[in-house]
Amino acid sequence: SDITDRVDKMLLLFATGNKHKVSEASAILSHLGYEVEPLLIREKAPELIEPQAEGIEEVAISKIKQARELVMGTELEDSVLLAEDSGLFIDSLGGFPGPYSSYVESTLGLSGVLKLMSAESERGAEFRAVTAVCTGRRVITATGICRGQISGEISGEMGFGYDPIFIPDDGDGRTCGEMHSSEKSSISHRGRALKAVSELLNLPSK
Ligand code: ITT
């Protein structure tokens, strides 16, 4: 009965190996008139190469270009594609782990990051996401930032990645790991980047 149920939503295929990103993006964009599905090539999320020692914007553009290459010449050639690079940037560590966030999460882990921060009273940090969309005619990117503090301990079971050690400044003192996904997305780097990219998609192309 809701009018949005009867209008065809534009489908975006998200090129990512991270299913948490897909479910967050799907919830955020469904309110904005888009449907999100994972991009699957031969029934699998494609393995995209992440160029190292680059900023997250360059990495996001590299991911969307690789995704575009993969769909060219297939039945998915005309789909609109989405890719994202994101990370946690800790002020007192000069922005570390930044583009290496995924690697550091799987090697040091959250407790290792807290250990690096144990003697540090300056605990400011930010999550950043760069979202890239490719319509075939053009590539659009947008950045989203979420400022916060690194917590003293791991807290919360929700979300993923660094959520249990990140307390967003726009929240009420809980970590993102203690928030339901709708609360997190209303203030998150991903929520902000996806809203910005959807506004750019709605503009007439040049
Ligand atoms: P794809 O590259 O396949 O999209 P990925 O998980 O490897 O998936 P990234 O390379 O963008 O994603 O790495 C982002 C890392 O930053 C991710 O592994 C988390 O550790 C962290 N991160 C990003 N967004 C986050 C969020 O909303 N909450 C917690 N951690 C986040």
Side-chain angles (χ1 to χ4, degrees), residues 46 54 59 72 84 93-94 110 124 128 135 138 164 175 189 195:
E54 300 269 13
V59 176
M72 287 299 283
E84 179 206 277
L93 301 179
L110 305 193
R128 288 185 209 156
T135 64
R138 53 187 182 146
T175 67
H189 53 312
K195 271 169 218 151

Side-chain angles (χ1 to χ4, degrees), residues 13-189:
L13 296 182
F14 197 166
T16 178
N18 185 327
K19 62 184 189 324
H20 302 282
K21 287 186 177 182
V22 178
S23 58
E24 288 188 7
S26 171
I28 293 160
L29 288 173
S30 70
H31 300 297
L32 299 167
Y34 300 89
E35 192 178 338
V36 178
E37 297 278 344
L39 171 66
L40 300 176
I41 306 281
R42 284 177 236 98
E43 289 163 42
K44 278 176 51 187
E47 301 230 348
L48 305 178
I49 298 152
E50 296 197 19
Q52 289 296 334
E54 300 269 13
I56 62 170
E57 168 134 42
E58 286 77 9
V59 176
I61 289 169
S62 166
K63 285 176 177 173
I64 200 80
K65 286 187 175 159
Q66 292 175 62
R68 174 86 182 142
E69 290 290 316
L70 288 170
V71 302
M72 287 299 283
T74 77
E75 72 276 17
L76 298 177
E77 184 168 275
D78 296 324
S79 336
V80 180
L81 304 174
L82 179 70
E84 179 206 277
D85 199 56
S86 50
L88 176 68
F89 294 72
I90 301 176
D91 299 349
S92 66
L93 301 179
F96 182 82
Y100 310 107
S101 294
S102 183
Y103 177 74
V104 167
E105 188 199 328
S106 59
T107 52
L108 292 182
L110 305 193
S111 57
V113 173
L114 289 187
K115 219 173 274 173
L116 287 179
M117 297 288 292
S118 58
E120 192 56 65
S121 58
E122 205 317 72
R123 305 190 71 85
E126 63 192 38
F127 274 134
R128 288 185 209 156
V130 175
T131 298
V133 169
C134 177
T135 64
R137 285 157 38 124
R138 53 187 182 146
V139 172
I140 295 166
T141 64
T143 302
I145 292 178
C146 178
R147 284 291 309 169
Q149 308 286 317
I150 302 301
S151 62
E153 45 192 69
I154 296 171
S155 191
E157 313 267 281
M158 289 179 273
F160 69 99
Y162 297 96
D163 283 339
I165 62 165
F166 186 81
I167 302 171
D169 289 345
D170 291 336
D172 59 6
R174 285 174 298 153
T175 67
C176 285
E178 297 173 294
M179 292 180 180
H180 289 286
S181 74
S182 58
E183 280 183 280
K184 174 187 166 184
S185 292
S186 69
I187 55 174
S188 77
H189 53 312

